[in-house]
């Protein structure tokens, strides 16, 4: 591991370009990336190779990859401070995946909850890529030797696997990979579906009504909130027995910046009929500047491409050095 006691600590994270980013991705991940980029040497990638682990339409994947990168910027990722890139533009990710495949026991992957859940949904279409997904994620991470990986709660198990792969590599080939820490901010780590307070808001949920997309038009946001599942109890509270109510209040609390106590006090006597339009106004106003910045970025020809080109160059330099070390440790003959 390079001696970098004076260099700023590094973070790396990513999201899949499937559909479009929603409020769960924002509150659980991207919002924290934005605040943390000031403090850390930051790498944020759009993990298009991960998206390929389930069937994708080629033109839509290309569009979603651009959209996701543009949304990172619209949410406040500053390309002057942070390196923003597309995973498949840095071939070291796939090469390291192969090397790690040769190190990772099958039964570590068989335990992955997300694989089991997605495999059930896909039935016969389950590819090896879906099974191998966490190994590619370990490669994404360990190539950059980050100190911290900021993610939402659903990624905890994948991050444990990444740490296990790093430790196994170090045991087998001598200490040389940094074992990163997982950074899960409690607030917003698990935003739930609007249609079911017990499952997480997700891009792959078949119902678009289940999520608030960052680029949804105001009317759509209002309609989704109006139709969000609620309960018949008067007075709103953070109460585990009322998951839908808790989720909507949590969204309100995180976007308004008020304390949970203040939010509960404000809506102690309210029903959903009064609360939902207030929440809709808040969400719409909060997302408005993000959508405006997104439109500006998407409308400026060549801007995004330039950032992604520069990002891939910067990322490739770092990744290439790590890969070279790993190849040497594993006994691959260097090219002549
Ligand atoms: P998919 O449904 O296609 O698996 P996703 O909605 O889970 O997608 P990802 O691209 O896999 O989104 O995740 C990007 C980041 O957003 C990750 O750090 C993940 O932990 C976080 N995240 C995803 N969903 C939520 C959620 N509902 N609440 C909080 N964080 C979330
Ligand atoms: N599996 C992650 C996306 C992801 C990721 C990463 C996150 C792929 N590679 C590296 C952090 C670091 C998910 O959010 N579903």
């Amino acid at each position: 591991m390079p001696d970098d006691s004076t260099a700023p600590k590094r973070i790396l994270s990513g999201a899949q370009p499937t559909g479009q980013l929603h409020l769960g991705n924002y509150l659980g991940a991207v919002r924290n990336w934005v605040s943390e980029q000031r403090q850390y040497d930051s790498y944020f990638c759009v993990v298009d190779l991960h998206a390929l682990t389930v069937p994708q339409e080629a033109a839509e994947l290309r569009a979603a990859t651009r959209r996701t990168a543009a949304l990172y910027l619209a949410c406040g990722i500053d390309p002057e401070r942070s390196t923003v890139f597309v995973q498949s533009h840095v071939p070291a990710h796939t090469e390291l995946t192969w090397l790690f495949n040769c190190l990772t026991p099958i039964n570590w992957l068989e335990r992955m909850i997300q694989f089991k859940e997605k495999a059930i949904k896909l039935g016969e279409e389950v590819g090896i890529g879906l099974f191998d997904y966490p190994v590619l994620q370990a490669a994404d991470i360990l190539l950059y030797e980050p100190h911290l990986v900021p993610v939402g709660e659903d990624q905890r198990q994948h991050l444990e696997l990444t740490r296990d792969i790093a430790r196994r590599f170090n045991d087998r080939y001598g200490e040389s990979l940094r074992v990163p820490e997982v950074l899960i901010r409690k607030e917003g780590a698990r935003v739930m579906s609007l249609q079911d307070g017990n499952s997480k808001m997700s891009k792959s949920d078949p119902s678009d009504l289940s999520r608030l997309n960052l680029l949804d038009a105001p009317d759509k946001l209002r309609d989704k909130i109006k139709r969000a599942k609620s309960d018949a109890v008067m007075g709103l509270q953070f109460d585990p027995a009322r998951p839908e109510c808790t989720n909507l209040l949590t969204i309100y609390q995180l976007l308004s910046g008020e304390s949970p106590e203040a939010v509960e006090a404000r809506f102690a006597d309210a029903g959903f009929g009064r609360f939902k339009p207030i929440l809709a106004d808040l969400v719409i106003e909060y997302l408005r500047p993000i959508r405006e910045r997104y439109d500006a970025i998407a409308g400026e020809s060549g801007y995004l491409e330039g950032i992604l080109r520069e990002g891939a160059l910067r990322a490739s330099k770092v990744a290439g050095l790590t890969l070279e070390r790993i190849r040497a440790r594993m006994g691959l003959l260097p090219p002549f």
Side-chain angles (χ1 to χ4, degrees):
M1 230 171 293
D3 175 23
D4 59 356
S5 47
T6 55
K9 288 192 172 179
R10 189 176 284 165
I11 61 173
L12 173 132
S13 198
Q16 301 184 74
T18 44
Q20 50 167 287
L21 296 181
H22 51 68
L23 203 60
N25 300 133
Y26 179 75
L27 293 173
V30 181
R31 183 181 67 139
N32 300 326
W33 304 352
V34 172
S35 55
E36 277 138 18
Q37 68 181 340
R38 267 179 242 121
Q39 207 179 328
Y40 298 106
D41 178 23
S42 307
Y43 290 76
F44 302 116
C45 57
V46 180
V47 293
D48 53 346
L49 297 168
H50 277 105
L52 283 180
T53 60
V54 297
Q56 301 289 341
E57 212 263 300
E60 169 51 23
L61 177 59
R62 260 189 302 273
T65 302
R66 300 171 78 98
R67 194 161 60 226
T68 305
L71 265 173
Y72 286 3
L73 304 176
C75 287
I77 298 295
D78 174 358
E80 301 283 319
R81 276 177 197 277
S82 302
T83 300
V84 178
F85 66 103
V86 175
Q87 181 191 35
S88 70
H89 294 176
V90 183
H93 292 236
T94 38
E95 183 172 344
L96 185 56
T97 301
W98 177 258
L99 302 181
F100 282 168
N101 277 341
C102 299
L103 198 75
T104 309
I106 289 182
N107 69 356
W108 286 8
L109 297 180
E110 284 169 343
R111 289 201 287 265
M112 293 295 116
I113 296 163
Q114 207 169 77
F115 170 71
K116 291 192 230 175
E117 286 174 356
K118 290 197 177 178
I120 290 170
K121 282 189 206 148
L122 282 169
E124 297 202 338
E125 292 220 50
V126 180
I128 290 177
L130 189 67
F131 188 61
D132 207 26
Y133 179 118
V135 180
L136 175 59
Q137 183 164 352
D140 295 342
I141 295 170
L142 298 177
L143 276 173
Y144 298 88
E145 305 203 82
H147 299 75
L148 294 167
V149 183
V151 285
E153 180 61 42
D154 62 320
Q155 292 303 306
R156 193 181 285 283
Q157 197 187 29
H158 286 161
L159 264 294
E160 263 321 308
L161 187 94
T162 293
R163 289 163 52 83
D164 286 343
I165 292 177
R167 287 195 202 97
R168 195 173 171 93
F169 182 91
N170 290 344
D171 284 348
R172 215 172 258 189
Y173 298 107
E175 202 70 30
S176 68
L177 289 179
R178 171 174 289 122
V179 181
E181 300 295 326
V182 46
L183 177 63
I184 300 178
R185 297 244 180 261
K186 218 171 129 260
E187 289 198 322
R190 199 167 161 79
V191 177
M192 308 312 278
S193 156
L194 296 187
Q195 294 297 320
D196 172 5
N198 292 309
S199 52
K200 73 159 193 154
M201 186 177 285
S202 153
K203 290 193 239 106
S204 52
D205 190 314
S207 167
D208 193 50
L209 283 180
S210 69
R211 59 189 159 256
L212 298 169
N213 299 311
L214 300 186
L215 296 177
D216 279 344
D219 285 353
K220 197 163 205 181
L221 294 168
R222 194 175 295 286
D223 183 55
K224 285 178 174 176
I225 291 172
K226 191 170 163 200
R227 292 161 70 176
K229 190 171 170 201
S230 54
D231 58 38
V233 184
M234 271 311 275
L236 306 182
Q237 293 158 316
F238 294 98
D239 175 355
R242 299 175 65 192
E244 285 83 15
C245 178
T246 300
N247 189 42
L248 293 179
L249 279 184
T250 302
I251 292 174
Y252 180 92
Q253 188 238 318
L254 292 175
L255 296 187
S256 67
E258 290 175 26
S259 70
E261 296 73 26
V263 173
E264 269 193 338
R266 182 190 298 265
F267 297 111
D269 302 320
F272 286 96
R274 182 154 83 78
F275 172 65
K276 281 180 166 179
I278 297 175
L279 177 63
D281 287 341
L282 179 65
V283 171
I284 289 166
E285 286 318 310
Y286 194 94
L287 295 183
R288 189 184 300 284
I290 294 181
R291 207 174 40 252
E292 286 172 358
R293 279 198 296 271
Y294 176 85
D295 288 341
I297 292 163
E300 192 176 332
S301 160
Y303 176 71
L304 185 65
E305 290 79 354
I307 291 192
L308 293 179
R309 192 180 313 118
E310 173 66 24
L313 282 175
R314 291 211 295 242
S316 296
K317 272 196 199 129
V318 179
L321 288 174
T322 313
L323 183 61
E324 214 174 287
R325 257 176 39 232
I326 293 176
R327 289 172 55 110
R329 290 262 181 182
M330 291 181 83
L332 297 174
L333 185 66
F336 297 108

